[in-house]
Structures are given as structure tokens and as C-alpha cells.
């Protein structure tokens, strides 16, 4: 009797639910944005819960819900997750059609910083762009100061990888590489990172070691008004920061402006040692305007201004006194302009970078190199470019055609003023007015071979014409190379192909093969008297260099479910005509093509839900590089490194414990450089963010909790890492 | 539309102006064989006028001296003659000469006879110009007094063989950043009147910037050409004060000297 009563009760209960849900629901279809083909078996889940459903094999789904507003997370293996807001009224069926952008074959390591997901949108979880970039397994940062770390991908940097902002080429003005491009995007302006760690993606730049595209936040049409103001403090360096963001939008125009001001004193290494002369001040401004032109057309204008001053480089010979950068971009988007054309995008950009550095604050009478000499230096670059991209899509095929043109002028000089009487000033040009044109055509083709098999192929041809225009600069270099003509024209040809096979509902295997080339950089061609701190030589450019050629293969496996995911990559990169310094005389090296080198490695990355709201992350990367010519390790290859973390999040609260580790690096290029061994280390960080009121967030954290003294292998001249750093932030924002 | 027309006109104007400003400025040839040379003296003997030209004012070191010979009666250029210039310094107690080079052969080069003198001291010098007209055999001599300023292009060094050597920097005359021709002459004092060229030395050269402690690559050691002239190449990588060290050897090391060169 009791049994029947219980069954009846249960039926009644279930009936009630079904009665409620039958009245209102959401249905829709999930499509592949690139291919105009359905995405089978995608997950449709209510944000922050495990409730949801899955699509059928044709991409259709149906979800019964009580009336209300919902945020749905639509995810599928191999696609960027999408967050959609829907309102479900009583007794109606809301229709939601979603396009998912393929992720795996496009950017397997894309990191959404301030994603489209509104909940995370302004969470400002991390303090610096560098902390975001470093989170990608296989990316390590070169550290020259407590300022502007430079990314390397799998042990490759500078011209071997392409680092761009919204697809724009920007060239550092400092011949000592104090101004990496990543410095210009403050973390609040970084929407996402598109990382390609191999040469599969050739659409952004010619490269043999991958690309890093920093996609910035643009003016947001969905935010009629948003304002945010944040102050922050860091104990390790006395850093004070201010950040402000405003966004305004109506149906025609959207505007966004941000400002970031930072001032830092000397930082402390672990154990309390103060690293004197390591402070800096930096101001960054970004302005964005988008115009809705109707008929699928949008115009975007953006400007980034970045000024830094008195940046201390305690382990280098000199400090940067002033840097000024202005980056302009104008872009036109046209969605579905014609039948069969998915989009047409045109971009024009220009940027100018000026960089001054000197050693007037140093005691030059005691140093070993260039004793008794002050060496003020100046550098500038001007880059202008045009980028056109047309995307053609028919069922199952996608063809992107890209034209990528840029023009670079670069100049750098150096004065040497003796502190001793009776010594004449000396002067030279580090870059004697380089003029460089680069034109590239790219074909990016993808197709679905079957439901489970996807192919992507890239082809890129670059043609570059470059010359040294300054007479003085030409004479300097002509003394090294018996060529009366500094002008060079070079062509490079790159090709890549990937095939991805999906296993079951959650797994995928991807194989990438590529043969890519990269034309020497203007510095490798025309640089003069460039002091390299890693080996103590003065470098001279070589206008006769050939392009480097790389042959790559990479195998990766993915397993990805909402509650846990895992990825492993194994790669091999063989480089011919590898460009490296070759000793010319006692203190001089020139750039030359040595026969061959290779880099190989493995990366793993995974995460899993360990309890409700609690997720664990793990990643590790090992890189092995060898110079075949000299049979010794390549210099500045990161050791085995990675991280382990656990994160707890709820509506108002987010807390994380992270550890970052690196093993010792004993594989060093001892014959060609002054590189030394580095000990391993483990760091522990705590991060928290708490929404105190609807308009106020509090940010608190401690980095390097144990105050460990360490230096990373890619720290120039063993500059120590930062000691224990407690940080604090107060974010006041408009309420939605 | 007006605006576009204005832009077009402005554009064409700019192009035309750019085209006009390309006009070259070739130095005009004034027809004189001595061209831009400096006249340092003249005299007459046996119906011949002797004019002396130099490339620069006299200072201690190597000077090319150009002799122009004309017949006083007609003013006609003599272009076949044997010409020599012998320097002489009278120091009261004794007289001495200096290394010098006669015009090679008897044919004038563009109307001039090319001689050279290596002044080994500052002060008043006598230049004895001897000529012999090849057409009629007339011989003559003109003596001129000139003043030679102090300079740092010549080093007088005692060799390990006990002889006194004169090393003179001839090139670069106007040093520039980058590769420069490097030329020295080497003579030794046989007697007060005889300073033969030294032609059998191995020369090692090394430029450095003493203020910075670095040198430069790609230099070419000077090797002997003729008449004690050694030719090589020197690479100055930047402006400023350089020192070029020279090791001269005949088998064993003979002597060491250096020149200070400032690149403006
Ligand atoms: Cu710099
Ligand atoms: Cu120097």
C-alpha cells in the first residue's frame, strides 16, 4: 500500500514537472560557423550547473525549462564554447540557433581571457597579460626586467614566431629587445589569445615556430553603458595601479575607452633581497569605436597608446628612459556580402614605436664591458600594413584568401660618450634606415571529409624587398660583406596541413605536418654592433642570409567533456639553414645560416571537476633543442615546466591555489654562449576574488607564497624572479 | 569635384618639383691641369717656369708634389721631361734630406710630373726641383723654401737592428666609418742624405678603440706594393678615437708603432 502511494506520489511529482516544462522550452540547432554544416551531439547546458541536454546527430536540440532568463553554454568537441542568453516565456518555445566556431583545428590553445561569457567578462582575475600568456603549455617568458616579458613558443622567439595584435605586425624599436609587442596589450584589453604552437596556422605571419595573436577587446554593442574603475597594489615592488574602462553603445555606434596607469618601485626577490634599479612607470590608453553600418557591415577603429619611462634593467647595461608607442587600426567587416561569401574583412593599420635608453644612472667606471663610456641609444620603427581577408563557405568547405602587406622602416643609433677627458665621442648606427616591404598571399582551406574527419590546409607565399638606405649605415656593413648592394629580395614558401579525426563523442586525434620558411628579420640582415648579453659578443647583421626552413610534425590527442578534459601533444621541428651567431673575431659574431637544428617536445594539459564548483588544472611541457652543427643544446630552451592548480568558483566568489614548477635546466649551449645551468623551483600562488556588493569586487592574492628565491632559465643574466607578493585590488563597476 | 581637381594639380606639381630637384651638380672642369691643387711655389731657370702644387698644406708626413713645367717664351706645357724634387733641411750644424720619390719615366700625366716627399721634421725646408727637358736636353734647377708644420702622420722608430725607420701614414687621408684603404710607407736612414725604401717587411695591423677596448674585424694587413708603399684595408666600425697598431717584421720582429686616427 505504502509502495503504491509512493509511486503515485512520485508520478504526481514527475507529472507536475512535465506539466511545467511542457509549457515552455527552448529548441534550436547548432551549426558549424565555418562550414555551414550541423554540429552533431553538442552539449547545451545551463551556466554554472550540470543541467542540460545534447543535440542529435543533425545538430537539433530541445530543452524544457520553466519560464525565465537563462544563460546557456553550448559546447562541442573541437569548438569554442558559446554562451547565449535566452528568455523563455510561459507556454512558448524559444528558438535558439547557435553557430560554433571550430577551435581544435583552428587554435587548439586559444585562451579566452575576458570571454564572451558575461559572468567572466570583467572578472579581471589575473593582474598582467604575461600571467595569461604564461598559462599556455609550451610558452615560456624571457625576463629581462620586472617589465614586459617576451614570449617564446617551444624555445623559439623573435622572428621565428609571429606575435601580433589583432593581426597587426608591430616591430620593436629597441635593438636589445626591451619592447616586446605583448607589452602593448594590458590584461583588461586582452579578450583572447589565439595561439598556434606550430606552423599550421599561416594566416597571421610567416613563422617556423607558431603565432600568438592577441585579440583585443573592442567596443561592445551589447553594453549600452558600462564603467569600471580599479585600483591595485602589489607589495613586492610597491606597484600602484589604476585601471578604468568605459563602454557606451547604441544601435549605431559603440565606444570603449580604457586607461591603465602603473608605477612600480624596485622589486624584491625571494628572501627579501631588493633588486635596485628595477622600477618603472607605464601608461597605456586604448580607444575603440565601432560603427554599425547595417547590412552586415561594421567599421572598427582602434588606437593604443603606450608610454613608459624610467624602466630599470638591472641585469642589462642600460635602462630604458622613455618609450612611446602609437598603434592605429581601421577595419571593415562585411558579413555575407554575396552569396557564398561568408565575410569580407579589410584592415589598414599603422604603428610607430620610439625607444630611448641610456646608462647615465650607472657607474660606468666599474663595469667590464665598455668601461668609462656612456652609451645613449635610440631606436624607432614605423610599420604600415594592409590586410584583406575573404572567407568563402559552401556546405562542408571553407576557403579563406588573405592578402597581407606591410612596410617597415627601422632606425637605431648609439652614441658613446667617455667620462674621461680628451676622448672624442663615438657614434654608430645599429640600424641604418632599413626599408622593408613584405607582401604575402595566404590560402587557408578547410573541409569536412566525413562527420568525423576534418582537413585544414594552409599555403603562404611571402615576398620581401629590403634595403639599407643610410650611406653611413651601408659603409659600416659593406666593411663586413663584400657586396656593393645591401638590397635583398627574398621569397619564402610555406605549406601546412592538418587532419583531425574524432573518436566517439569526446575524443579527437590530430596530425599536423608542415614545411614552413621564414625570411630573416631586418635585424638579422642589417643590425650592427648589437651587444648580446647571452654570449657577450657584438653581432653584425648579414644581408646575404637565406630563409630558415622548418619541417614539422605534430600529433595530438584530445579528450574533452564538460567535467574533465585532457590533451597531449608530441612534436618534432627540424630547422635547416638555422640562423645563429658565428664567431668572426675575438669580440664579434655575425648572423649565419648554420646547417641544422631541431626542437622536439611533449605537452600535456588537463582539467577535471573534483567536486561541485571545484576544478583542478594541470599542465606540463618539455622542450628539447639541439644544434646539430655543433652537437650541443640550443641556447635558451626552457626546462620541463608546468603547473598544477585547483579553483573553486561560485556566483560571488572565486578562489584558486596554483603551483608553478620548473625543473633544473642542465642542457645548455656552453660552447656558443655564456648560458648557465638553472636550478628547478616550485612556486605557490593564492588568488581570490570576491563580489562584496553588486558594484564592488575585491581582489586579493599572494604570489610566491613561500618567498622562494629562484630564477627562470629564460631570465637574462639570472635576474631573480619576484619574491612573495601580496596583491590587492578594488574594482568598482556599474551594475547591470 | 573641385577638391579632387586641386589634389590632382597639387600631386602633379609635387612630382614636377621632385623631378627638377634631381639636377646633378657636377664640378665644372676649368681646363687647368692642376685643378683644385694647391700652389706652393714657383721659380724660373733656363727659360723654363717651374710651378709646384700639393694636395694640402705641408705638415710632417707624406706629400705628393706635382710639378708643372712651361717654357717662359711661349707658355707651352712641357710634357716630356725627367723631374725630381729633393728636400733638404739645413739645421746649422748639419744638413739632411728626407725620403722622396721622383717622377717615374719622362711623360707628364695630364701635364703634371708626379713626385713625392716625406717630410720627417717640421720647420723650413728647401725643395730642389731638377728637370731635364727630353726634347732638347736642357737641364735646370729651381730651389724653393717652404714651411712644414708639425704633424702626427710620421713615426720615427729605432728597429731591433739598430737602424732608424720612418713609418708614414699615407691613407686614409679622410678616414670614414666602414672600410678604408690603409697605406703606409717605410724608409730607413742610411745616411743623412739617403733614405731608401724598405720593401721586404711583413706588416701586421690591428685597429682598436682604446677607450672601449674593442677592435674591428675584416681588416687586411698591408703588403708591399712598390717603393716602400704598403697597402691594406682598415675597418672603423664607428666614429671616435681609434689606434692602429703596426708590427713590422723581417723574420723576427723589427719594430712596433701605432697611429692615432680620429673618425669625425
Ligand atoms: Cu632598449
Ligand atoms: Cu667603439
Amino acid at each position: 500500500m505504502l509502495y503504491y502511494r509512493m509511486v503515485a506520489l512520485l508520478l504526481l511529482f514527475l507529472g507536475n514537472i512535465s506539466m511545467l516544462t511542457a509549457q515552455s522550452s527552448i529548441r534550436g540547432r547548432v551549426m558549424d560557423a565555418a562550414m555551414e554544416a550541423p554540429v552533431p551531439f553538442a552539449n547545451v547546458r545551463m551556466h554554472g550547473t550540470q543541467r542540460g541536454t545534447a543535440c542529435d546527430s543533425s545538430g537539433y536540440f530541445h530543452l524544457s525549462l520553466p519560464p525565465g532568463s537563462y544563460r546557456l553554454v553550448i559546447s562541442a568537441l573541437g569548438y569554442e564554447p558559446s554562451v547565449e542568453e535566452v528568455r523563455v516565456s510561459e507556454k512558448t518555445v524559444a528558438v535558439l540557433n547557435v553557430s560554433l566556431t571550430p577551435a581544435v583545428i583552428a587554435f587548439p590553445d586559444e585562451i579566452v581571457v575576458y570571454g564572451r561569457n558575461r559572468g567572466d567578462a570583467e572578472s579581471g582575475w589575473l593582474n598582467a597579460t604575461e600571467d595569461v600568456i604564461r598559462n599556455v603549455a609550451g610558452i615560456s617568458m624571457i625576463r629581462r626586467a620586472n617589465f614586459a616579458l617576451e614570449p617564446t613558443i617551444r624555445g623559439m622567439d623573435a622572428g621565428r614566431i609571429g606575435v601580433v595584435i589583432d593581426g597587426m605586425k608591430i616591430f620593436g624599436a629597441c635593438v636589445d629587445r626591451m619592447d616586446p609587442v605583448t607589452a602593448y596589450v594590458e590584461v583588461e584589453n586582452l579578450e583572447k589569445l589565439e595561439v598556434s604552437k606550430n606552423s599550421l596556422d599561416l594566416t597571421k605571419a610567416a613563422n617556423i615556430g607558431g603565432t600568438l595573436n592577441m585579440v583585443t577587446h573592442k567596443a561592445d554593442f551589447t553594453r549600452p553603458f558600462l564603467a569600471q574603475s580599479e585600483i591595485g597594489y602589489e607589495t613586492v615592488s610597491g606597484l600602484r595601479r589604476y585601471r578604468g574602462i568605459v563602454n557606451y553603445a547604441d544601435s549605431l555606434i559603440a565606444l570603449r575607452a580604457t586607461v591603465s596607469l602603473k608605477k612600480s618601485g624596485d622589486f624584491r626577490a625571494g628572501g627579501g633581497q631588493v633588486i635596485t634599479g628595477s622600477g618603472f612607470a607605464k601608461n597605456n590608453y586604448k580607444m575603440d569605436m565601432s560603427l554599425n553600418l547595417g547590412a552586415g557591415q561594421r567599421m572598427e577603429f582602434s588606437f593604443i597608446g603606450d608610454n613608459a619611462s624610467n624602466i630599470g634593467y638591472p641585469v642589462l647595461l642600460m635602462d630604458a628612459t622613455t618609450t612611446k608607442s602609437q598603434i592605429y587600426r581601421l577595419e571593415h567587416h562585411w558579413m555575407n556580402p554575396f552569396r557564398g561569401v561568408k565575410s569580407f574583412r579589410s584592415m589598414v593599420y599603422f604603428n610607430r614605436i620610439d625607444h630611448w635608453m641610456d646608462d647615465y644612472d650607472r657607474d660606468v667606471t666599474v663595469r667590464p664591458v665598455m668601461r668609462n663610456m656612456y652609451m645613449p641609444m635610440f631606436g624607432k620603427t614605423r610599420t604600415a600594413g594592409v590586410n584583406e581577408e575573404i572567407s568563402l563557405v559552401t556546405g562542408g568547405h571553407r576557403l579563406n584568401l588573405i592578402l597581407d602587406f606591410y612596410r617597415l622602416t627601422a632606425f637605431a643609433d648609439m652614441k658613446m660618450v667617455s667620462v674621461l677627458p680628451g676622448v672624442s665621442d663615438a657614434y654608430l648606427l645599429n640600424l641604418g634606415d632599413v626599408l622593408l616591404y613584405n607582401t604575402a598571399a595566404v590560402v587557408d582551406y578547410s573541409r569536412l571529409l566525413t562527420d568525423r574527419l576534418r582537413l585544414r590546409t594552409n599555403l603562404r607565399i611571402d615576398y620581401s624587398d629590403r634595403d639599407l638606405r643610410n650611406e653611413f649605415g651601408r659603409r659600416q656593413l659593406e666593411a663586413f660583406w663584400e657586396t656593393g648592394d645591401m638590397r635583398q629580395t627574398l621569397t619564402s614558401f610555406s605549406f601546412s596541413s592538418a587532419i583531425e579525426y574524432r573518436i566517439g563523442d569526446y575524443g579527437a586525434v590530430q596530425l599536423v605536418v608542415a614545411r614552413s620558411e621564414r625570411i630573416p628579420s631586418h635585424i638579422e640582415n642589417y643590425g650592427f654592433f648589437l651587444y648580446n648579453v647571452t654570449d657577450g659578443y657584438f653581432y653584425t647583421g648579414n644581408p646575404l642570409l637565406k630563409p630558415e626552413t622548418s619541417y614539422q610534425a605534430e600529433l595530438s590527442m584530445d579528450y574533452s567533456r564538460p567535467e574533465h578534459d585532457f590533451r597531449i601533444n608530441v612534436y618534432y621541428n627540424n630547422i635547416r639553414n638555422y640562423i645563429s651567431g658565428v664567431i668572426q673575431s675575438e669580440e664579434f659574431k655575425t648572423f649565419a645560416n648554420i646547417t641544422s637544428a631541431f626542437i622536439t617536445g611533449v605537452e600535456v594539459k588537463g582539467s577535471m571537476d573534483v567536486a561541485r564548483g571545484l576544478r583542478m588544472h594541470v599542465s606540463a611541457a618539455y622542450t628539447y633543442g639541439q644544434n646539430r652543427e655543433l652537437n650541443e643544446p640550443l641556447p635558451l630552451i626552457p626546462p620541463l615546466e608546468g603547473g598544477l592548480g585547483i579553483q573553486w568558483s561560485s556566483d560571488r566568489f572565486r578562489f584558486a591555489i596554483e603551483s608553478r614548477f620548473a625543473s633544473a635546466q642542465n642542457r645548455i649551449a656552453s660552447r656558443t654562449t655564456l648560458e648557465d645551468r638553472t636550478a628547478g623551483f616550485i612556486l605557490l600562488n593564492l588568488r581570490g576574488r570576491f563580489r562584496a556588493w553588486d558594484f564592488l569586487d575585491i581582489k586579493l592574492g599572494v604570489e610566491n607564497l613561500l618567498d622562494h628565491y629562484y630564477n627562470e632559465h629564460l631570465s637574462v643574466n639570472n635576474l631573480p624572479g619576484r619574491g612573495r607578493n601580496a596583491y590587492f585590488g578594488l574594482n568598482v563597476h556599474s551594475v547591470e | 569635384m573641385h577638391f579632387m581637381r586641386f589634389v590632382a594639380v597639387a600631386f602633379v606639381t609635387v612630382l614636377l618639383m621632385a623631378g627638377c630637384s634631381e639636377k646633378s651638380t657636377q664640378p665644372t672642369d676649368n681646363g687647368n691641369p692642376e685643378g683644385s691643387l694647391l700652389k706652393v711655389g714657383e721659380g724660373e731657370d733656363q727659360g723654363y717656369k717651374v710651378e709646384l702644387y700639393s694636395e694640402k698644406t705641408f705638415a710632417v708626413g707624406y706629400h705628393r708634389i706635382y710639378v708643372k713645367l712651361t717654357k717662359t717664351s711661349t707658355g707651352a706645357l712641357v710634357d716630356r721631361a725627367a723631374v725630381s724634387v729633393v728636400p733638404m733641411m739645413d739645421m746649422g750644424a748639419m744638413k739632411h734630406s728626407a725620403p722622396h720619390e721622383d717622377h717615374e719615366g719622362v711623360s707628364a700625366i695630364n701635364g703634371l710630373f708626379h713626385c713625392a716627399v716625406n717630410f720627417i721634421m717640421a720647420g723650413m725646408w728647401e725643395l730642389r726641383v731638377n728637370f731635364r727637358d727630353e726634347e732638347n736636353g736642357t737641364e735646370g734647377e729651381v730651389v724653393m723654401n717652404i714651411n712644414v708644420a708639425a704633424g702626427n702622420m710620421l713615426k720615427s722608430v729605432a728597429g731591433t737592428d739598430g737602424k732608424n725607420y720612418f713609418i708614414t701614414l699615407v691613407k686614409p687621408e679622410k678616414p670614414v666609418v666602414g672600410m678604408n684603404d690603409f697605406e703606409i710607407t717605410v724608409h730607413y736612414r742610411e745616411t743623412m742624405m739617403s733614405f731608401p725604401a724598405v720593401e721586404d717587411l711583413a706588416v701586421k695591423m690591428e685597429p682598436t678603440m682604446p677607450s672601449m677596448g674593442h677592435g674591428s674585424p675584416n681588416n687586411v694587413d698591408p703588403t708591399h706594393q712598390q717603393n716602400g708603399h704598403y697597402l691594406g684595408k682598415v675597418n672603423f666600425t664607428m666614429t671616435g678615437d681609434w689606434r692602429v697598431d703596426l708590427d713590422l717584421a723581417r723574420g723576427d720582429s723589427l719594430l712596433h708603432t701605432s697611429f692615432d686616427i680620429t673618425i669625425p
Side-chain angles (χ1 to χ4, degrees):
Chain A
M1 207 55 216
L2 185 71
Y3 173 74
Y4 283 114
R5 213 181 291 169
M6 276 184 67
V7 169
L9 239 143
L10 194 69
L11 281 173
L12 193 73
F13 179 69
L14 289 174
N16 269 333
I17 292 175
S18 61
M19 259 170 69
L20 269 173
T21 52
Q23 283 169 356
S24 58
S25 64
I26 304 171
R27 65 172 180 81
R29 196 180 191 193
V30 179
M31 297 287 285
D32 182 313
M35 302 295 190
E36 287 183 354
V39 176
F41 312 116
N43 286 298
V44 181
R45 198 161 42 88
M46 284 165 66
H47 184 71
T49 72
Q50 300 301 332
R51 267 182 81 184
T53 184
C55 297
D56 63 17
S57 61
S58 305
Y60 290 103
F61 72 92
H62 183 264
L63 185 61
S64 296
L65 290 164
S69 279
Y70 293 95
R71 208 192 290 153
L72 297 179
V73 181
I74 295 95
S75 59
L77 174 74
Y79 291 90
E80 256 179 50
S82 168
V83 178
E84 305 289 332
E85 303 209 357
V86 246
R87 165 158 239 114
V88 185
S89 312
E90 243 173 281
K91 295 182 188 175
T92 56
V93 180
V95 178
L96 179 70
N97 288 318
V98 183
S99 302
L100 291 183
T101 310
V104 174
I105 211 158
F107 292 104
D109 287 285
E110 179 171 286
I111 288 197
V112 178
V113 185
Y114 284 82
R116 283 172 207 98
N117 183 339
R118 284 205 174 182
D120 299 335
E122 260 69 51
S123 64
W125 177 244
L126 294 169
N127 295 318
T129 302
E130 284 132 23
D131 296 334
V132 178
I133 299 174
R134 206 206 298 273
N135 272 338
V136 182
I139 293 197
S140 306
M141 305 300 279
I142 300 177
R143 186 181 167 80
R144 298 186 170 83
N146 188 30
F147 180 85
L149 277 57
E150 182 186 346
T152 69
I153 302 176
R154 294 175 173 170
M156 286 199 258
D157 60 15
R160 294 194 174 104
I161 63 173
V163 181
V164 294
I165 298 176
D166 291 323
M168 291 183 283
K169 269 94 185 161
I170 299 168
F171 294 89
C174 176
V175 289
D176 294 339
R177 291 164 62 183
M178 291 172 176
D179 55 354
V181 172
T182 42
Y184 304 128
V185 179
E186 293 294 334
V187 72
E188 65 271 20
N189 290 326
L190 183 62
E191 183 184 318
K192 61 176 178 176
L193 281 177
E194 292 177 343
V195 184
S196 172
K197 291 188 285 193
N198 52 39
S199 296
L200 170 59
D201 183 51
L202 297 164
T203 61
K204 300 293 182 297
N207 69 83
I208 58 163
T211 52
L212 185 71
N213 182 22
M214 293 189 281
V215 178
T216 69
H217 237 294
K218 314 298 183 322
D220 187 348
F221 275 105
T222 69
R223 294 295 184 100
F225 180 75
L226 174 143
Q228 221 188 94
S229 185
E230 182 178 311
I231 51 165
Y233 182 76
E234 294 188 6
T235 57
V236 75
S237 60
L239 174 90
R240 284 161 289 152
R241 86 164 95 242
Y242 172 78
R243 260 175 207 165
I245 305 174
V246 281
N247 191 87
Y248 163 84
D250 58 32
S251 59
L252 294 176
I253 190 166
L255 300 164
R256 185 178 195 264
T258 67
V259 57
S260 162
L261 313 172
K262 287 183 203 166
K263 194 160 169 55
S264 169
D266 294 342
F267 79 95
R268 272 186 320 97
Q273 184 198 343
V274 175
I275 308 301
T276 46
S278 63
F280 66 88
K282 182 176 189 279
N283 303 336
N284 183 284
Y285 312 90
K286 186 168 191 282
M287 268 167 271
D288 285 275
M289 181 174 78
S290 294
L291 293 172
N292 188 352
L293 305 175
Q297 294 187 59
R298 199 172 72 237
M299 191 71 125
E300 278 179 5
F301 169 75
S302 82
F303 166 75
I304 301 174
D306 190 282
N307 300 314
S309 55
N310 300 317
I311 312 161
Y313 283 82
V315 292
L316 298 188
L317 291 181
M318 57 186 82
D319 304 306
T321 52
T322 309
T323 72
K324 288 181 184 167
S325 317
Q326 286 127 41
I327 299 161
Y328 303 86
R329 183 179 64 93
L330 187 67
E331 194 169 320
H332 178 253
H333 282 264
W334 196 355
M335 299 302 290
N336 304 309
F338 313 105
R339 205 184 143 77
V341 180
K342 172 103 180 152
S343 66
F344 182 59
R345 201 176 53 81
S346 304
M347 174 169 75
V348 193
Y349 63 92
F350 173 71
N351 56 72
R352 43 182 299 156
I353 319 285
D354 292 294
H355 181 92
W356 286 265
M357 53 182 172
D358 66 46
D359 45 9
Y360 289 131
D361 287 344
R362 306 294 182 90
D363 184 358
V364 296
T365 61
V366 295
R367 70 174 171 208
V369 192
M370 303 286 267
R371 183 172 296 169
N372 294 324
M373 280 281 171
Y374 289 120
M375 303 181 288
M377 294 174 83
F378 168 69
K380 66 174 181 180
T381 61
R382 304 284 182 264
T383 311
V386 176
N387 195 290
E388 302 286 338
E389 179 172 1
I390 188 162
S391 183
L392 309 165
V393 177
T394 58
H397 300 257
R398 187 192 64 168
L399 180 65
N400 281 15
L401 301 173
I402 299 165
L403 191 74
D404 181 11
F405 166 83
Y406 62 89
R407 173 192 192 269
L408 162 73
T409 58
F411 173 89
D413 67 357
M414 176 180 180
K415 202 170 166 180
M416 286 141 282
V417 183
S418 180
V419 297
L420 304 175
V423 178
S424 312
D425 289 354
Y427 180 80
L428 61 84
L429 292 182
N430 299 106
L431 281 173
D433 260 325
V434 175
L435 172 64
L436 181 154
Y437 293 97
N438 197 96
T439 311
V442 190
V443 177
D444 177 8
Y445 173 71
S446 305
R447 84 172 281 192
L448 287 170
L449 297 169
T450 70
D451 274 0
R452 296 195 166 271
L453 210 56
R454 184 191 288 265
L455 171 83
R456 184 178 175 194
T457 282
N458 271 212
L459 197 136
R460 182 180 176 107
I461 297 168
D462 280 79
Y463 173 77
S464 182
D465 187 335
R466 62 230 359 233
D467 201 1
L468 199 61
R469 291 184 302 170
N470 185 290
E471 177 60 38
F472 185 104
R474 270 208 300 271
R475 278 205 311 265
Q476 287 177 330
L477 270 186
E478 276 162 9
F480 285 73
W481 308 105
E482 315 233 303
T483 165
D485 195 2
M486 286 290 136
R487 184 170 164 195
Q488 296 294 322
T489 54
L490 291 148
T491 309
S492 74
F493 178 83
S494 301
F495 173 82
S496 70
S497 205
I499 196 152
E500 182 185 275
Y501 182 70
R502 299 187 185 183
I503 303 162
D505 290 350
Y506 304 107
V509 184
Q510 196 187 79
L511 176 71
V512 177
V513 288
R515 179 215 181 265
S516 63
E517 290 186 329
R518 67 120 189 158
I519 292 175
S521 72
H522 65 287
I523 291 177
E524 288 164 334
N525 274 145
Y526 300 121
F528 187 75
F529 214 77
L530 306 177
Y531 186 67
N532 183 339
V533 284
T534 63
D535 60 11
Y537 280 85
F538 291 99
Y539 273 64
T540 308
N542 179 351
L544 307 172
L545 289 174
K546 291 186 288 248
E548 282 181 348
T549 310
S550 145
Y551 297 85
Q552 307 171 16
E554 175 161 354
L555 185 68
S556 55
M557 267 175 279
D558 262 281
Y559 183 77
S560 168
R561 300 180 68 140
E563 60 279 12
H564 52 252
D565 56 70
F566 179 77
R567 184 180 172 87
I568 179 164
N569 309 24
V570 188
Y571 63 89
Y572 180 81
N573 192 344
N574 186 42
I575 306 158
R576 293 209 191 139
N577 290 324
Y578 187 81
I579 296 173
S580 176
V582 168
I583 294 175
Q584 188 184 29
S585 62
E586 207 185 325
E587 59 251 293
F588 293 91
K589 277 190 182 178
T590 58
F591 289 107
N593 295 103
I594 64 170
T595 45
S596 103
F598 70 89
I599 296 176
T600 181
V602 57
E603 287 145 12
V604 291
K605 194 175 170 135
S607 72
M608 64 185 292
D609 286 334
V610 285
R612 200 183 158 79
L614 209 60
R615 199 168 176 98
M616 199 172 83
H617 299 264
V618 60
S619 77
Y622 177 71
T623 318
Y624 180 100
Q626 186 81 358
N627 179 332
R628 279 216 185 84
E629 174 116 334
L630 300 168
N631 199 26
E632 76 161 0
L634 284 174
L636 296 176
I637 296 292
L640 172 67
E641 57 186 13
L644 178 70
I646 190 154
Q647 207 174 88
W648 181 57
S649 47
S650 73
D651 278 357
R652 304 186 81 86
F653 197 77
R654 197 165 163 194
F655 179 75
I657 305 174
E658 307 165 347
S659 74
R660 199 156 71 74
F661 71 90
S663 70
Q665 180 57 291
N666 294 316
R667 299 194 74 250
I668 51 171
S670 47
R671 283 156 72 179
T672 47
T673 69
L674 303 169
E675 185 177 22
D676 58 0
R677 285 163 218 275
T678 307
F681 61 85
I682 299 180
L683 303 179
L684 209 58
N685 303 330
L686 304 179
R687 299 185 193 282
R689 182 164 179 134
F690 175 58
R691 177 150 293 183
W693 285 283
D694 284 350
F695 63 88
L696 179 72
D697 282 26
I698 297 167
K699 231 163 95 173
L700 280 171
V702 185
E703 292 166 327
N704 193 359
L705 182 70
L706 305 175
D707 203 25
H708 191 57
Y709 182 94
Y710 73 103
N711 75 272
E712 285 176 86
H713 189 64
L714 301 192
S715 252
V716 170
N717 280 347
N718 296 334
L719 175 69
R722 311 202 304 175
R724 184 186 298 125
N725 178 33
Y727 66 85
F728 166 78
L730 210 59
N731 185 304
V732 184
H733 47 87
S734 52
V735 182
E736 288 190 39
Chain B
M1 232 35 244
H2 276 292
F3 176 70
M4 286 312 291
R5 213 174 295 160
F6 170 75
V7 169
V9 169
F11 185 66
V12 169
T13 312
V14 168
L15 274 184
L16 286 175
M17 280 163 68
C20 292
S21 65
E22 285 289 311
K23 198 182 283 176
S24 62
T25 49
Q26 284 283 343
T28 46
D29 188 355
N30 61 11
N32 298 333
E34 64 272 19
S36 59
L37 293 174
L38 222 62
K39 189 166 180 176
V40 291
E42 62 174 34
E44 280 182 33
D45 192 31
Q46 311 288 332
Y48 287 83
K49 183 175 170 192
V50 175
E51 291 169 81
L52 240 56
Y53 295 91
S54 164
E55 289 159 337
K56 56 195 181 209
T57 54
F58 291 124
V60 170
Y62 183 85
H63 290 265
R64 280 184 196 85
I65 290 173
Y66 302 90
V67 181
K68 186 176 170 190
L69 206 58
T70 44
K71 287 189 177 151
T72 39
S73 50
T74 60
L77 266 177
V78 176
D79 65 359
R80 284 185 60 77
V83 178
S84 70
V85 178
V86 181
M88 200 61 73
M89 186 179 233
D90 190 343
M91 300 183 72
M94 56 98 158
K95 274 186 171 184
H96 69 84
S97 181
H100 55 92
E101 295 162 11
D102 301 342
H103 180 80
E104 241 171 273
V106 292
S107 305
I109 302 163
N110 291 326
L112 296 176
F113 297 94
H114 294 198
C115 302
V117 175
N118 198 357
F119 296 107
I120 58 175
M121 262 183 137
M124 287 302 291
W125 285 82
E126 221 175 66
L127 290 181
R128 294 183 183 166
V129 185
N130 297 289
F131 62 89
R132 179 176 182 280
D133 187 341
E134 287 298 303
E135 239 164 67
N136 52 26
T138 312
E139 289 184 21
E141 185 185 64
V142 170
V143 179
M144 288 168 218
N145 286 308
I146 53 139
N147 195 15
V148 172
N152 52 9
M153 302 291 271
L154 180 137
K155 306 284 171 178
S156 162
V157 189
T160 48
D161 56 3
K163 287 179 186 156
N164 204 14
Y165 289 85
F166 298 95
I167 301 97
T168 311
L169 183 65
V170 180
K171 276 181 185 164
E173 274 181 299
K174 292 193 173 71
V176 291
V177 165
M179 201 54 96
N180 293 264
D181 284 338
F182 186 83
E183 183 180 350
I184 51 169
T185 60
V186 185
H187 297 88
Y188 79 100
R189 181 160 58 213
E190 197 179 41
T191 68
M192 282 301 175
M193 292 301 148
S194 166
F195 296 81
V198 185
E199 309 192 331
D200 59 345
L201 299 181
V203 182
K204 270 207 162 56
M205 176 190 69
E206 200 191 346
T208 51
M209 289 193 91
S211 60
M212 298 184 204
H214 68 76
S216 70
N218 272 17
N219 299 287
V220 179
D221 285 333
T223 52
H224 185 257
Q225 308 299 308
Q226 55 173 345
N227 300 330
H229 285 252
Y230 292 76
L231 213 63
K233 284 200 183 289
V234 62
N235 180 10
F236 298 122
T237 53
M238 60 182 79
T239 71
D241 299 333
W242 286 81
R243 191 181 69 209
V244 179
D245 280 286
L246 293 167
D247 265 308
L248 281 62
R250 186 187 286 125
D252 287 339
S253 108
L254 180 66
L255 62 92
H256 173 269
T257 187
S258 69
F259 289 96
D260 291 324
I261 299 177
T262 295
I263 321 295

